[in-house]
Amino acid sequence: KAGVTQTPRYLIKTRGQQVTLSCSPISGHRSVSWYQQTPGQGLQFLFEYFSETQRNKGNFPGRFSGRQFSNSRSEMNVSTLELGDSALYLCASSFITGNYEQFFGPGTRLTVL
Amino acid sequence: DQQVKQNSPSLSVQEGRISILNCDYTNSMFDYFLWYKKYPAEGPTFLISISSIKDKNEDGRFTVFLNKSAKHLSLHIVPSQPGDSAVYFCAASEGNNAGNMLTFGGGTRLMVKP
């Protein structure tokens, strides 16, 4: 069974631009969560989507948004990029929501110049 | 306010010996705990999990122990192998109402020497 895939793997943007990252979950998984990893803050939860609905949202500004499609694929968008948005963005999929193992993709490395 | 803490940033053990990685939490609403292993430039790999109704869970060389009264969990790797060298993260979830929202510790870098 194929794992979680994320595209693109690397991205370079400049301040003020916007970016869209994509995540394809493991086949049959309906929950997709997004995390941000930085050296200073570690791994932090952004949001979770389950059956096309946002289930939970972490403590991030409104510039960070996401959505999920009927095939469970998910996208996250960051608008008006700031230097501090440079991070590894990880997507995780799970069969269902709530106390269930999550499997992570390889991540998208975003660099904001 | 860190709700999940891994107080040892690094740990070095000899191949074949036991590795013990520790994790403490402060949020009493956490009721599901997971351990992940991460190599550089890769996403975390799920290792093992434990529900708060248990105090121990085993999977091959990996065993997780949960002490709810102390709000402490540990991951034991026996025997340790050089391929286990990676950063290990513990994570916690508040249960069904929180969906799949995980709170991660800061990680412990494990180095297994041949």
Side-chain angles (χ1 to χ4, degrees), chain A residues 24-77:
Chain A
S24 293
I26 292 170
S27 177
H29 285 194
R30 294 164 58 197
S31 167
V32 173
S33 299
W34 289 88
Y35 293 83
Q36 181 198 64
Q37 186 182 26
T38 59
Q41 300 298 320
L43 271 157
Q44 292 188 290
F45 173 81
L46 280 156
F47 29 65
E48 177 196 3
Y49 285 88
F50 180 72
S51 293
E52 301 178 65
T53 302
Q54 187 177 87
R55 185 81 166 75
N56 274 298
K57 191 176 195 306
N59 189 24
F60 280 83
R63 300 185 297 107
F64 291 82
S65 62
R67 58 178 176 167
Q68 186 180 35
F69 302 95
S70 58
N71 61 358
S72 294
R73 190 178 70 85
S74 176
E75 289 180 346
M76 69 162 281
N77 186 77

Side-chain angles (χ1 to χ4, degrees), chain A residues 9 31 33 35 37 43 45 48 55-56 88 90 94 96-106, chain B residues 31-32 34 36 38 41-44 46 49 89 93-102 104-105:
Chain A
R9 290 294 311 277
S31 167
S33 299
Y35 293 83
Q37 186 182 26
L43 271 157
F45 173 81
E48 177 196 3
R55 185 81 166 75
N56 274 298
L88 180 67
L90 292 157
S94 177
I96 57 173
T97 184
N99 285 0
Y100 213 78
E101 292 88 344
Q102 295 180 55
F103 298 90
F104 283 82
Chain B
D31 67 353
Y32 185 64
L34 307 90
Y36 286 87
K38 189 178 186 300
E42 293 185 12
F46 170 75
S49 62
F89 291 93
S93 170
E94 287 189 24
N96 290 329
N97 287 337
N100 278 337
M101 182 172 69
L102 295 178
F104 281 86

Side-chain angles (χ1 to χ4, degrees), chain B residues 11-108:
Chain B
L11 174 68
S12 181
V13 299
Q14 208 66 36
E15 181 180 4
R17 298 292 185 100
I18 183 172
S19 295
I20 300 176
L21 298 102
N22 294 304
C23 180
D24 297 296
Y25 62 96
T26 56
N27 186 346
S28 57
M29 298 298 290
F30 288 145
D31 67 353
Y32 185 64
F33 304 88
L34 307 90
W35 283 94
Y36 286 87
K37 176 173 74 173
K38 189 178 186 300
Y39 296 114
E42 293 185 12
T45 300
F46 170 75
L47 285 173
I48 192 168
S49 62
I50 187 167
S51 165
S52 60
I53 62 173
K54 294 184 174 183
D55 55 18
K56 178 182 173 182
N57 190 26
E58 286 181 84
D59 185 0
R61 297 187 297 116
F62 303 94
T63 303
V64 57
F65 295 91
L66 175 62
N67 183 333
K68 289 186 290 294
S69 60
K71 294 191 176 68
H72 176 84
L73 64 154
S74 61
L75 174 69
H76 293 209
I77 307 174
V78 184
S80 301
Q81 300 172 353
D84 295 331
S85 297
V87 178
Y88 288 76
F89 291 93
C90 69
S93 170
E94 287 189 24
N96 290 329
N97 287 337
N100 278 337
M101 182 172 69
L102 295 178
T103 302
F104 281 86
T108 296

